[in-house]
Amino acid sequence: MQYPEPIAQLIDSYMKLPGIGQKTATRLAFYTIDMNSDDVTRFAKSLISAKRDLHFCSICGNLTESDPCDICRDKTRDQSQILVVEQAKDIMIMEKMKEYHGLYHVLNGVLSPIEGKGPEDLNMASLLKRLQTNEAVKEVIVATNATPEGEATAMYLSRLIKPAGIKVTRLAHGLSVGTDIEYADEMTLFKAVEGRTEM
């Protein structure tokens, strides 16, 4: 039996989201149909508003309603540090921590030869321009993920930035709090030893 066209289209729409297969999309479609009309209308308006009203900050690449974004406009933030992240959502995660008070830069991805993503496909040129025009920046903290692509991107950025005399650091990787050493893989242990700190 085939679903009526509106349900089939809704299922297809949900399947365009990452990690959503046929079964989950079908469950979500039927859940949406069971929602009251006001909630469905609010949901639809939220999707349209997010797509229409959000754009990338012309300075850092963060998602924002205004340009430049609130973080770039905030003169109380530490102007000497720029933390480089893969995606705008990574900024939200760092901000929840409430411990970092510098600036950000969003790459919108990582170097990935397999996917055909080179430096020209990332938001790197604007970072380099930013570093050339802002003498206040003394440190770039690379916070790409600890994946082969994230590591390659970090090394590439380091090679580009260090000749300008700007300190380039990497977020520490290794054992998470509460992890037993016996359950950690070799790379995690290596990173933990490499990133050890004095007590």
Side-chain angles (χ1 to χ4, degrees):
M1 179 182 149
Q2 286 195 336
Y3 294 115
E5 189 60 27
I7 295 174
Q9 286 180 357
L10 190 55
I11 291 168
D12 285 343
S13 294
Y14 277 123
M15 285 178 60
K16 290 182 171 124
L17 297 172
I20 304 290
Q22 177 80 37
K23 285 183 180 180
T24 303
T26 303
R27 277 196 301 273
L28 289 171
F30 279 98
Y31 179 82
T32 305
I33 291 166
D34 289 339
M35 291 169 63
N36 73 50
S37 294
D38 290 344
D39 288 342
V40 172
T41 301
R42 265 194 304 279
F43 181 60
K45 283 182 179 177
S46 296
L47 287 172
I48 292 167
S49 174
K51 191 66 180 167
R52 180 189 58 218
D53 300 337
L54 292 175
H55 52 275
F56 294 110
C57 173
S58 60
I59 297 172
C60 73
N62 190 13
L63 278 175
T64 181
E65 290 178 86
S66 58
D67 192 24
C69 71
D70 293 341
I71 294 171
C72 288
R73 282 197 319 259
D74 185 353
K75 297 303 176 194
T76 65
R77 296 189 78 98
D78 184 351
Q79 305 291 309
S80 70
Q81 292 181 324
I82 295 178
L83 191 137
V84 178
V85 295
E86 290 182 19
Q87 303 293 338
K89 65 183 177 183
D90 300 331
I91 291 178
M92 311 305 174
I93 293 165
M94 294 300 293
E95 285 295 290
K96 279 184 189 175
M97 182 180 60
K98 298 184 191 275
E99 292 296 321
Y100 176 73
H101 304 289
L103 302 173
Y104 293 96
H105 194 85
V106 182
L107 294 175
N108 290 317
V110 287
L111 296 174
S112 178
I114 293 171
E115 293 176 15
K117 272 193 154 183
E120 64 283 349
D121 299 311
L122 304 179
N123 191 20
M124 283 187 183
S126 64
L127 172 62
L128 298 175
K129 182 180 177 187
R130 207 173 157 190
L131 296 174
Q132 290 169 351
T133 58
N134 186 353
E135 292 180 14
V137 178
K138 304 294 180 215
E139 179 182 14
V140 171
I141 305 164
V142 182
T144 53
N145 292 325
T147 60
E149 295 84 3
E151 293 293 332
T153 304
M155 290 301 297
Y156 184 82
L157 282 172
S158 178
R159 288 187 186 130
L160 287 178
I161 298 167
K162 274 188 177 180
I166 297 170
K167 180 179 177 182
V168 181
T169 58
R170 183 97 167 97
L171 283 187
H173 297 119
L175 296 173
S176 58
V177 175
T179 300
D180 291 338
I181 289 176
E182 66 181 296
Y183 300 117
D185 61 85
E186 290 84 12
M187 184 53 109
T188 301
L189 285 173
F190 172 75
K191 289 292 187 183
V193 171
E194 187 181 55
R196 68 192 181 278
T197 55
E198 188 174 337
M199 296 177 67

